[in-house]
Amino acid sequence: MTLFDGITERVIETPRLNVNILERVGDSPQTPADRTVVLIHGNVSSSLFWQELMQDLPSDLRVIAIDLRGYGGTEHAPLDATRGVRDFSDDVFGALQALGIETAHFVGWSMGAGVIMQYALEHPVLSLTLESPISPYGFGGTRRDGSRLTDDDAGTGGGAANPDFVQRLIDHDVSDDAPTSPRSVFRSGYVAPGFQTENEDVWVESMLTTSTATGNYPGDSVTSANWPGFGAGDIGVLNTMTPGHFDVSGIADLAEKPPILWVHGTLDAIVSDASFYDLNNLGKLGIVPGWPGDEIAPPQPMVTQMRDVLERYSTGGGQVTELSLDGVGHTPHLERPAEFRHGLLTVIGYVGPAAHPAPPTEAVIIRSAD
């Protein structure tokens, strides 16, 4: 069974599409906004990844995990990537309106962090927890200041997906017999080396809910005269995060600045200043041939870009806390649940009977800017 004890799912009908959500048994629809937490998953995953955290959060909170379109039990409607991640954020807004939730605390993981940053540009939020967030300037193809390397975003978008990985999603492959199987990708990309979990089968099943229909994962591409020979397309998941379509750096200039928690691991293979999913970095390492050099195709400094934008947010009066977890990969909420839980409860200002003491301080590095 993929649903854990105390977790239920249901489909919400909205004017946009049918949205699947996970909830906890006993959570009250009358819970006030300041005790409501909305969880948004990342790429090639679903709300199933949040279940351990949902079980562990205090019972007097209302916790909702939403499947984005093309994932989990939500409709597999195509994505207009020219809108960036706005199709995703508009879907989330529609689902919350159907539930009667005007605002809440938002937690976004990886691509989901990009979705909630976009959401915050358009709707009021009480706090943002950004877990292993995509850069505010998209995935790949930018310099530190967010400027694009090429006009066609060469090396980014749908063409960057590994075709064998896509085929294994289609085949519902649960094996670990190749580096491109979803299970192997989970072990090498989602978590730090050596991490063990008794729920790996559930996480793999979650990955396998990813729709590969036209307009979903990974998306289309176009031929490019720039290395490595392809550019971003206009439909599908990976194209929503290309720099020509995606830029949420404007959060630094929000007039009303909710508190932000930024959680990331030092061994994140996906979101990094030297990401193993960045074609320019793979070219620099000699894995992808023909790399034209740092002047033309430098690796994207994803973590540095996030820090720069959050420093601007802080300078403008926002409260930012950085939680950097040594030895952790792309999924801090799975790998270091106690630290993640404590950070989340702190940023939402939770005070209650289930507010546990902080974990040992040597396990985390926290920087806070006022």
Side-chain angles (χ1 to χ4, degrees), residues 220-359:
D220 64 344
S221 64
V222 300
T223 301
S224 172
N226 301 301
W227 184 88
F230 67 87
D234 288 336
I235 60 171
V237 174
L238 295 186
N239 293 312
T240 68
M241 297 176 281
T242 54
H245 299 326
F246 178 94
D247 184 346
V248 294
S249 61
I251 62 165
D253 304 314
L254 284 175
E256 298 293 329
K257 292 181 167 60
I260 291 179
L261 170 66
W262 173 27
V263 186
H264 59 105
T266 61
L267 297 183
D268 191 336
I270 298 176
V271 176
S272 164
D273 284 359
S275 169
F276 288 103
Y277 289 71
D278 180 354
L279 267 291
N280 288 356
N281 185 51
L282 295 180
K284 185 171 186 175
L285 294 173
I287 297 171
V288 178
W291 181 64
D294 271 319
E295 286 298 315
I296 296 174
Q300 182 188 16
M302 303 176 187
V303 174
T304 298
Q305 289 174 331
M306 188 78 252
R307 183 171 288 114
D308 288 348
V309 168
L310 291 182
E311 285 180 354
R312 284 172 45 206
Y313 189 91
S314 175
T315 300
Q319 176 188 329
V320 178
T321 300
E322 178 182 355
L323 180 58
S324 177
L325 297 173
D326 190 34
V328 170
H330 192 59
T331 54
H333 74 279
L334 297 184
E335 299 172 69
R336 296 278 273 277
E339 288 93 333
F340 188 89
R341 177 186 190 275
H342 180 74
L344 172 57
L345 292 180
T346 299
V347 77
I348 71 174
Y350 179 82
V351 178
H356 298 330

Side-chain angles (χ1 to χ4, degrees), residues 208-222:
L208 293 172
T209 69
T210 302
S211 172
T212 55
T214 301
N216 293 133
Y217 183 84
D220 64 344
S221 64
V222 300

Side-chain angles (χ1 to χ4, degrees), residues 3-4 6-10 21-25 51 54:
L3 288 181
F4 294 0
I7 307 295
T8 64
E9 66 177 342
R10 63 181 170 124
I21 66 171
L22 299 189
E23 298 171 292
R24 303 188 304 182
V25 174
Q51 292 183 97
M54 293 175 75

Side-chain angles (χ1 to χ4, degrees), residues 1 6 57 163 257:
M1 296 294 292
L57 287 173
K257 292 181 167 60

